[in-house]
């Protein structure tokens, strides 16, 4: 049974979707939810789901990214994870950290990568007049939002869409995509998931 750590920074809706998918014959189980923000709403949701929680508050390390990542690594290792899922985790991780989890760390990004790496993806898709938008699950490498693509969910952009309406319509697709990718990935299957 693969042990999955889920990293969050906010509401944790993707964490909930992942945790609720890991039941029955699923080859993985959530073992810890780690947040860099002690006030993240996802921590209460993880508690309700009965998942152990940890907080590594990046603000306690001021600008010392290495110190933060050192404690984050120690905290994670305490739970002996096989797979790390970044789910709404809003800290950029250095190559030193990502290399420790090469080939076993996933992230969900709210764009059809390789388009719109980084922030404000919905606004950028609208500014570009894209007909389609979506989300991507990828393996995490040292380069931001750049690792091998493991799944994508696509949807049409509608007239009158705003960044908020796009984000709201995309979130349920994220909640379908990420669990579908993790189920395959936990079995060692990297065949990309395409939704719809
Ligand atoms: C979502 O838009 C997701 O794509 C991005 O963070 C946002 C919030 O996710 N990674 P969650 O509700 O905290 O899972």
């Amino acid at each position: 049974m693969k042990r999955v750590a889920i990293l969050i920074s906010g509401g944790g809706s993707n964490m909930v979707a992942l945790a609720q998918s890991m039941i029955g014959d699923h080859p993985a189980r959530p073992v810890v939810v780690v947040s860099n923000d002690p006030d993240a709403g996802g921590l209460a949701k993880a508690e309700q789901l009965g998942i152990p929680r940890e907080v590594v508050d990046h603000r306690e390390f001021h600008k010392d990214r290495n110190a933060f990542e050192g404690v984050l690594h120690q905290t994670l290792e305490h739970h002996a994870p096989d797979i790390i899922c970044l789910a709404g985790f809003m800290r950029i991780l250095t190559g030193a950290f990502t290399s420790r989890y090469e080939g076993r760390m996933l992230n969900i990004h709210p764009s059809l990568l390789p388009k719109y790496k980084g922030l404000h993806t919905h606004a950028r898709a609208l500014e570009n007049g894209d007909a389609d938008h979506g989300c991507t699950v990828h393996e995490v490498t040292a380069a931001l939002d750049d690792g091998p693509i493991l799944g994508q969910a696509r949807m049409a952009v509608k007239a009158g869409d705003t960044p908020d309406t796009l984000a709201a319509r995309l979130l349920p697709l994220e909640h379908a995509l990420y669990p579908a990718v993790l189920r395959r990935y936990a079995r060692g299957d990297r065949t990309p998931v395409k939704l719809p």
Side-chain angles (χ1 to χ4, degrees):
M1 189 68 79
K2 297 290 186 193
R3 299 169 58 85
V4 176
I6 306 172
L7 275 58
I8 66 169
S9 297
S13 69
N14 276 288
M15 175 276 295
V16 170
L18 288 169
Q20 291 181 333
S21 75
M22 288 185 259
I23 54 173
D25 68 348
H26 192 299
R29 289 295 184 276
V31 294
V32 65
V33 170
V34 183
S35 176
N36 65 293
D37 181 342
D39 300 323
L43 288 168
K45 295 172 188 168
E47 184 174 17
Q48 286 160 4
L49 289 165
I51 304 169
R53 295 157 312 288
E54 300 274 6
V55 173
V56 182
D57 186 342
H58 67 280
R59 288 164 298 194
E60 290 175 6
F61 300 88
H62 306 295
K63 297 293 175 205
D64 189 342
R65 196 179 288 272
N66 289 330
F68 165 68
E69 291 185 352
V71 173
L72 181 60
H73 177 63
Q74 281 172 350
T75 303
L76 280 168
E77 288 314 299
H78 181 65
H79 298 270
D82 299 300
I83 296 171
I84 313 286
C85 287
L86 307 182
F89 186 68
M90 300 308 278
R91 305 300 297 167
I92 291 176
L93 296 165
T94 66
F97 185 89
T98 60
S99 62
R100 293 171 186 260
Y101 295 102
E102 189 87 34
R104 57 196 185 103
M105 180 153 56
L106 305 180
N107 181 47
I108 187 158
H109 181 75
S111 79
L112 291 172
L113 290 173
K115 289 199 290 188
Y116 314 129
K117 297 173 184 174
L119 297 174
H120 313 302
T121 60
H122 313 301
R124 291 157 67 191
L126 287 170
E127 280 156 26
N128 243 27
D130 290 358
D132 286 349
H133 188 43
C135 54
T136 303
V137 175
H138 63 94
E139 275 193 351
V140 175
T141 59
L144 181 68
D145 300 329
D146 191 64
I149 289 177
L150 294 169
Q152 290 197 313
R154 188 180 291 268
M155 67 180 192
V157 176
K158 295 176 179 168
D161 261 329
T162 66
D164 288 347
T165 60
L166 273 185
R169 210 160 62 244
L170 186 58
L171 210 47
L173 297 188
E174 296 177 29
H175 299 162
L177 179 67
Y178 213 165
V181 170
L182 178 60
R183 179 181 286 270
R184 280 192 187 175
Y185 193 77
R187 288 199 174 99
D189 179 355
R190 283 175 166 73
T191 311
V193 173
K194 294 282 182 199
L195 301 179

